[in-house]
């Protein structure tokens, strides 16, 4: 996937055939810390994760790039990519209207409930509970049988209560409420892409929406490649500038 993403940021005439996966965030940061000297062009890339909601600065390391979004999947879950897919698979429909419907679906149906949940998840991460998003997929929070997926108020409430009770047990009510008093307004003010995980939340929902609205049924990896291919221009302008500087 990263090869397709990097290609969207390369100057004309330059090519990339492979990337070197290093593992999780810690492994990438450790490798970057051990590679602060001169040498061939290279960039170490990490997801934003909860850094944006928790207002954490990236480590001051040469060659490091932290995404301005939660995860790499958030880079290509965009209106223009949906419009591009619509132009191919729904040629009789105005792509801009399809893009509007997609934005209204995400922002009106999922965004409000997921922002509140991720403000709580951010507190869990800040207080030492780790990242619970990958272990609790959005499929466990939707109403069964609804197409496109709709959030289940009862399941969302149960998940939020479980996380809150566990945090309260380990850290006390005051510490949890103090943390939420910071993360909630920040999560509300940032774009969805900087707050909500694309990998386990927004991408699965987007994939189901594309299937229900346009009849395009693809596995998740192929859906990602389709979205990347239909994005207009760079996915991350800061990453594009870093790549250009590294290659100059």
């Amino acid at each position: 996937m990263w090869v397709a993403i990097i290609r969207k940021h390369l100057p004309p005439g330059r090519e990339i055939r492979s990337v070197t996966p290093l593992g999780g965030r810690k492994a990438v940061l450790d490798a970057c810390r051990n590679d602060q000297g001169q040498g061939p062009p290279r960039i170490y890339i990490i997801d934003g994760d909860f850094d944006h909601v928790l207002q954490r600065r990236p480590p001051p390391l040469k060659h490091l790039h932290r995404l301005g979004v939660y995860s790499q999947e958030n880079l290509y879950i965009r209106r223009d990519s949906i419009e591009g897919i619509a132009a191919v698979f729904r040629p009789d429909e105005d792509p801009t209207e399809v893009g509007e419907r997609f934005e209204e679906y995400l922002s009106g149906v999922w965004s409000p409930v997921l922002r509140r949940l991720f403000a709580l998840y951010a507190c869990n991460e800040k207080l030492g509970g780790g990242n619970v998003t990958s272990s609790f997929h959005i499929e466990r929070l939707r109403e069964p049988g609804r197409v496109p997926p709709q959030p289940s108020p009862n399941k969302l409430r149960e998940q939020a209560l479980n996380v809150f009770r566990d945090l309260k047990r380990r850290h006390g009510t005051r510490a949890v409420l103090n943390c939420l008093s910071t993360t909630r307004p920040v999560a509300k003010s940032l774009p969805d892409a900087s707050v909500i995980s694309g990998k386990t939340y927004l991408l699965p929902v987007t994939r189901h929406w594309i299937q229900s609205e346009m009849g395009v049924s693809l596995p998740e990896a192929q859906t990602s490649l389709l979205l990347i291919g239909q994005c207009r221009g760079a996915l991350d302008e800061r990453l594009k500038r870093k790549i250009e500087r590294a290659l100059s």
Side-chain angles (χ1 to χ4, degrees):
M1 209 62 63
W2 270 111
V3 170
I5 291 173
I6 296 297
R7 280 176 176 158
K8 301 290 287 188
H9 303 84
L10 291 175
R14 305 304 289 261
E15 182 55 85
I16 182 173
R17 291 185 172 83
S18 65
V19 298
T20 304
L22 297 173
R25 180 186 178 101
K26 183 180 183 303
V28 175
L29 288 173
D30 287 345
C32 188
R33 285 191 186 94
N34 293 324
D35 185 19
Q36 293 298 285
Q38 302 299 317
R42 68 271 195 203
I43 298 177
Y44 293 83
I45 301 174
I46 57 172
D47 290 341
D49 292 330
F50 290 110
D51 285 0
H52 304 299
V53 175
L54 296 176
Q55 299 177 297
R56 295 188 297 212
R57 293 180 178 275
L61 299 172
K62 287 173 61 178
H63 317 305
L64 179 67
H65 178 73
R66 185 187 69 184
L67 298 179
V69 294
Y70 188 98
S71 63
Q72 54 111 328
E73 290 82 6
N74 296 86
L75 291 172
Y76 47 82
I77 301 172
R78 306 177 357 171
R79 175 172 170 166
D80 64 336
S81 61
I82 296 296
E83 290 175 355
I85 295 171
V88 175
F89 292 97
R90 298 293 291 270
D92 296 332
E93 194 166 358
D94 184 351
T96 59
E97 292 182 0
V98 179
E100 281 180 17
R101 288 206 306 272
F102 175 71
E103 279 194 338
E104 289 170 0
Y105 170 69
L106 274 193
S107 63
V109 174
W110 284 103
S111 174
V113 295
L114 291 180
R115 282 175 180 272
R116 291 194 293 270
L117 186 61
F118 270 76
L120 184 59
Y121 283 170
C123 283
N124 187 72
E125 204 270 345
K126 181 178 181 179
L127 295 173
N131 190 330
V132 296
T133 62
S134 58
S135 62
F136 206 93
H137 198 277
I138 198 169
E139 294 292 341
R140 299 168 66 181
L141 298 173
R142 59 179 287 199
E143 292 280 12
R146 297 286 299 276
V147 178
Q150 302 291 317
S152 166
N154 290 335
K155 293 177 181 178
L156 282 157
R157 189 180 305 112
E158 180 182 5
Q159 170 65 354
L161 282 173
N162 287 339
V163 175
F164 182 83
R165 286 167 179 161
D166 182 60
L167 284 171
K168 186 173 71 170
R169 177 183 58 80
R170 289 187 286 115
H171 303 285
T173 302
R174 178 174 293 183
V176 179
L177 293 179
N178 284 342
C179 184
L180 285 171
S181 70
T182 301
T183 60
R184 279 174 174 164
V186 175
K188 190 175 181 180
S189 68
L190 291 173
D192 285 353
S194 297
V195 178
I196 304 166
S197 167
K199 183 174 184 178
T200 49
Y201 285 76
L202 296 182
L203 181 59
V205 164
T206 300
R207 175 174 167 266
H208 284 302
W209 190 90
I210 291 171
Q211 181 177 352
S212 66
E213 290 289 318
M214 291 185 262
V216 181
S217 180
L218 294 170
E220 211 158 88
Q222 279 66 42
T223 300
S224 290
L225 291 172
L226 181 62
L227 288 163
I228 294 168
Q230 294 300 328
C231 287
R232 295 190 288 268
L235 309 181
D236 182 332
E237 288 294 338
R238 288 175 51 249
L239 178 59
K240 180 182 178 182
R241 291 194 294 271
K242 283 191 176 182
I243 290 174
E244 289 173 346
R245 286 198 299 269
L247 295 175
S248 62

